[in-house]
Each structure stands twice: as C-alpha cells, then as structure tokens.
Amino acid sequence: MVQKMSMNLREQLFLMNPHWEDGFFYPFPIKRYAFSKLKSGLSQPLMLSLTGPRRVGKTVLMKQLINQLIEDGYPRRNILFFSADDFFGEPLEIVKEWEKILGKKISGKNYFLFFDEIQNVNEWAKKLKLLYDNLGIKIFVSGSASMQMRKGSESLAGRMLEFYIPPLFYNEYLLFSGKPKNELEEKRWEEYQFYMMRQLPELAIYPTLDSKDYITSIVKKVIYEDVKKYFNVEETEVIDGIFKVICKDPGQIISVVDIAKDFGISRVSASNYLFALEKSYLIRKLYNYSNNPRKTETRAKKYYPYYTSLLSYAPPTEFGKIAETEVAWKTNAEFFWNERGKEIDFIVDKKGIEVKMRKSVDNSDVKWLIKNPIGLKEKIVVVLPNAKLNLKEVGKVSLDEIDKFANYN
C-alpha cells in the first residue's frame, strides 16, 4: 500500500514537471505585467505568494518563472512544480519523493518548490513554514481562495512576499490578443467594449471562445466547489442567486435584512454568503464613506461583481451599470458616498469619481461632486469617448482610459 502510494506520487511528479527533460521550456511567451516584479522576487530569501481570481494566469506565471530559473542556469530537477488540486497528502511527502528522485537531500537556496492552488492543503502555512525553516529552499505558492490565502499569509508574516494578480488591463489584453495598439486607435472604443467582457488571458488569446460560457464555468466552479468546500455551506443555489442579483443590478445598496427576506434565509446566513462571495473574488463590497469610521461600518453597503467580465454570468440591462463595474474594479474602489439621496459614485484616495454614460454631460449631472461636501482633493467624471461635455471644476476621463487610475500594486 505504501509503495503503491509512493509510485503514484512519483508518477505525478514526473507528469507535472516536463521541464526536467533537457531542452523543454513551457510554451508561454507572452508575459503579464506582474512577471517583472515576480522575477525580481527570485533573489529574495522569502517565500512568494501569488493570489487573485481564478484563470488570471497565476499558474502560467509560475511556469514562466521556472523557464527563467532554467535560463539562469539552475539544474532542471532542482525545480519542482506541484498542483495541489485534489491532493490529500502532505507537502513533506512530496519533498521526500523529490529527494528520492534526485538521490540526495534537498537543502538551500538552489532548490525551488512551486506549489499551485495551495489552499487545498490543510493547514498549508504551518506545513510550508516547517519546510522553509528547516530546508531553506525557495518556495512559491498560488491560490484563488482569498480568505484561506490571507490566513496563511498572516501566520507567515516576515517569511512571505505577497503578489496580487488581477484580471487583464486593457494594454495586456491587446498584448495577449495580438492586436497592435496603434492600429486600433480609430476603433478603440469598439475594441474596449469587447475587452470588458474578455478580461482573462484565454478569452483574449482565443477571440472565438464564448465569453459567457467561459465565465459561467468559472463562476459555477467557485460557487459550487470552492465556496462549498472552504465555507462549509450547502445552500449553494442561494449563493448563486445572490450573485445573479448583484450582476443584474451592479452598484445597488444591499441590506442583509433584505437578502434574508428575499431568499428565505436567516440574517446570519445572508451575511455569511455575501462574505463568501467577497472572499472568493466574485464580488466587491463598497462602504458608504464617512469621516466617522464607526458610522461607515454600520451604513448599508454597495456591491459590484469583482471585475467587469463577470457580468456575462447574468448581464445587466444598462450600459451605465457595466461602466460603473469597470470603474469600481479598475480603481479598486472601497467607498461611495450617499447622504439622504445626495450621492457620489466612488471615493478613492480622497478622489471623487462619478460615472456618466450619457451623450452629453454638464455640471448639473455631477452637482454633488462639484459641491464637494466631504472635502475631496480631486473630482473626476468618467464619460463616453464621444460625449459632449460642458463641465467646470472637474477632471474628465473617457471610460476607455480608466486604466490610468488603476489602483493595484
């Protein structure tokens, strides 16, 4: 029995590490912007953690780092990649089998362990800490479950560098789709609308891939597998229903009481389900801004899909809602402002941002932004590329240029 398990594990290691063969490199020539930062982390003694939504390219980035290490001259079999999907063993088992393959003990900074989807390993942080402290090898991990990754990172404070990998920005999308930026200027707005529903690498690379089907498969996996597993809930149909409500009307103010009533569940369950969606990179929660932190916490919250392409799951009817979702994710917004019907769409680093997808926009459309009752340092209106504008005292930016305000490190 033990020998059979060992043979199966050995087979897995050879299957998952084709780069052990001379001359092999992973066929991923296009690199995300994050790669250069990750590459600089190779020389750091700390563990590296890649987090972010499903299908943003974390696994590919790891394999590109493996290519880099081989190019830098490290022995191929000193680099181990392992995917923890459906893995029920111990990381130490993997290292011991790796040692058997190498025929020697593993120790020191010339050995590299890449552990993909690490959240599937029970108490992963504690187990990797043991390897890190005793073997001194370089360890890379990736994960798509925010809460599980955050818990692990907190327990590894001082031992781990964290890198968040977002969906594709527009210029990355052009890079992956092979579309020259300078040839698209006349059709930039048309292309940008297409991009908003294709913000993941595979959707950019394969334009004939149906974005709705692709996004649906991701959402179903997150809700019916990840959420069920990591949050120990059975009412996945209800969670699916809550997510559809948010997709159909992004930016609505949602109360836990209303969700509980509408879905026939307890307030505690409603709160837990919203939390699960948030920590699974499906929705983002925005607080009603106040100079009083306690007041901010107790006010009703707004919810948006985590990034715009998720709207394919249950599309809204208004383009303005799509635009709001795009601005929310690009600016990584955490706040809006609403006081007795007076509203500003987003508050980001003391900047007020209003989204107005109209053919013409003037000061009356953004009066609370201009009146500035909360002491904003900057006021910005996001508009259609061809909108007629009659605005004073505010900055203007076209929706297809919102990446300039991207708020991700």
Side-chain angles (χ1 to χ4, degrees):
M1 180 82 173
V2 173
Q3 187 167 349
K4 183 178 180 182
M5 182 189 299
S6 178
M7 287 297 293
N8 286 339
L9 180 55
R10 176 174 289 237
E11 290 170 3
Q12 287 182 58
L13 296 188
F14 275 98
L15 186 64
M16 291 183 188
N17 292 273
H19 63 267
W20 285 353
E21 295 296 325
D22 288 341
F24 180 91
F25 287 92
Y26 293 102
F28 303 119
I30 305 173
K31 294 181 174 67
R32 294 213 50 187
Y33 291 164
F35 179 79
S36 59
K37 288 184 179 180
L38 292 171
K39 182 180 174 182
S40 67
L42 289 174
S43 60
Q44 299 290 331
L46 302 178
M47 287 187 258
L48 266 63
S49 167
L50 282 65
T51 63
R54 280 191 173 274
R55 311 306 298 171
V56 294
K58 298 184 296 296
T59 302
V60 169
L61 281 164
M62 285 181 133
K63 292 184 176 180
Q64 289 173 330
L65 287 173
I66 291 173
N67 285 349
Q68 184 66 51
L69 289 169
I70 294 170
E71 289 174 4
D72 290 344
Y74 289 97
R76 290 173 173 272
R77 293 199 178 191
N78 281 24
I79 308 164
L80 177 69
F81 175 88
F82 192 88
S83 174
D85 274 338
D86 301 318
F87 176 66
F88 302 104
E90 298 291 329
L92 186 57
E93 292 179 63
I94 295 167
V95 171
K96 286 186 177 298
E97 194 61 43
W98 187 17
E99 288 180 332
K100 289 178 184 177
I101 291 168
L102 291 174
K104 59 183 176 181
K105 290 290 183 181
I106 290 170
S107 179
K109 61 182 181 180
N110 290 329
Y111 293 91
F112 303 85
L113 173 60
F114 290 81
F115 227 126
D116 199 24
E117 297 298 343
I118 191 65
Q119 77 274 359
N120 291 310
V121 177
N122 187 39
E123 297 185 319
W124 66 268
K126 181 192 298 185
K127 293 166 183 175
L128 290 191
K129 178 178 177 292
L130 183 68
L131 297 180
Y132 176 83
D133 288 348
N134 290 281
L135 300 182
I137 62 177
K138 184 73 176 181
I139 299 174
F140 303 78
V141 299
S142 79
S144 304
S146 172
M147 189 175 75
Q148 281 68 28
M149 294 302 293
R150 174 59 60 186
K151 284 181 178 178
S153 297
E154 288 172 353
S155 68
L156 289 168
R159 292 179 173 86
M160 178 173 281
L161 288 175
E162 295 180 62
F163 293 88
Y164 168 76
I165 312 299
L168 294 178
F169 297 113
Y170 181 60
N171 284 343
E172 287 184 300
Y173 159 80
L174 294 178
L175 184 66
F176 275 81
S177 62
K179 298 176 180 178
K181 186 178 179 181
N182 61 337
E183 293 180 13
L184 288 172
E185 284 308 309
E186 291 184 7
K187 296 183 178 180
R188 179 183 172 90
W189 177 233
E190 181 181 327
E191 189 65 37
Y192 196 89
Q193 292 176 79
F194 188 66
Y195 149 75
M196 285 195 290
M197 293 300 120
R198 309 187 75 84
Q199 294 170 329
L200 299 174
E202 285 180 309
L203 287 174
I205 293 170
Y206 304 108
T208 58
L209 201 60
D210 187 280
S211 60
K212 180 175 176 58
D213 289 347
Y214 188 86
I215 292 295
T216 296
S217 69
I218 293 172
V219 173
K220 293 289 187 185
K221 185 172 182 62
V222 172
I223 292 177
Y224 290 92
E225 294 183 27
D226 295 351
V227 169
K228 186 174 182 179
K229 177 179 179 179
Y230 302 125
F231 296 90
N232 194 29
V233 296
E234 294 297 330
E235 294 177 299
T236 45
E237 292 287 347
V238 173
I239 296 176
D240 187 285
I242 293 172
F243 182 60
K244 284 178 178 173
V245 166
I246 293 169
C247 285
K248 287 180 181 296
D249 189 11
Q252 61 182 301
I253 293 176
I254 293 178
S255 76
V256 170
V257 173
D258 289 341
I259 287 288
K261 182 178 178 182
D262 292 345
F263 286 91
I265 57 179
S266 70
R267 294 183 188 183
V268 172
S269 292
S271 179
N272 288 341
Y273 295 167
L274 286 167
F275 179 78
L277 286 168
E278 183 185 358
K279 296 306 177 183
S280 300
Y281 295 111
L282 286 184
I283 65 172
R284 65 175 67 245
K285 175 173 65 178
L286 274 64
Y287 295 89
N288 195 346
Y289 180 85
S290 172
N291 289 320
N292 183 337
R294 185 178 298 176
K295 194 174 182 181
T296 295
E297 187 62 42
T298 56
R299 287 174 162 184
K301 318 297 189 299
K302 266 188 180 183
Y303 291 88
Y304 289 89
Y306 191 78
Y307 59 95
T308 313
S309 299
L310 289 171
L311 289 170
S312 297
Y313 192 62
T317 56
E318 297 178 35
F319 181 75
K321 294 292 187 178
I322 298 174
E324 278 189 40
T325 305
E326 178 73 355
V327 174
W329 103 250
K330 287 296 173 62
T331 61
N332 200 17
E334 295 181 15
F335 299 99
F336 68 101
W337 178 75
N338 185 299
E339 191 77 53
R340 299 176 184 174
K342 307 168 187 176
E343 185 169 9
I344 298 173
D345 291 333
F346 304 108
I347 311 296
V348 181
D349 298 330
K350 296 295 284 187
K351 290 192 291 283
I353 303 175
E354 278 278 292
V355 182
K356 298 297 177 186
M357 296 292 105
R358 300 175 183 174
K359 293 181 179 179
S360 62
V361 183
D362 59 33
N363 281 10
S364 65
D365 296 314
V366 291
K367 61 182 179 181
W368 294 113
L369 190 64
I370 293 171
K371 288 185 177 181
N372 189 13
I374 53 175
L376 299 169
K377 294 180 179 178
E378 192 175 352
K379 295 170 277 187
I380 300 164
V381 183
V382 181
V383 296
L384 290 167
N386 55 355
K388 295 179 180 179
L389 307 176
N390 182 20
L391 293 166
K392 297 178 181 179
E393 301 181 46
V394 297
K396 288 85 69 177
V397 61
S398 174
L399 179 62
D400 59 345
E401 295 177 340
I402 194 63
D403 281 20
K404 67 176 66 174
F405 291 103
N407 195 23
Y408 297 90
N409 294 324

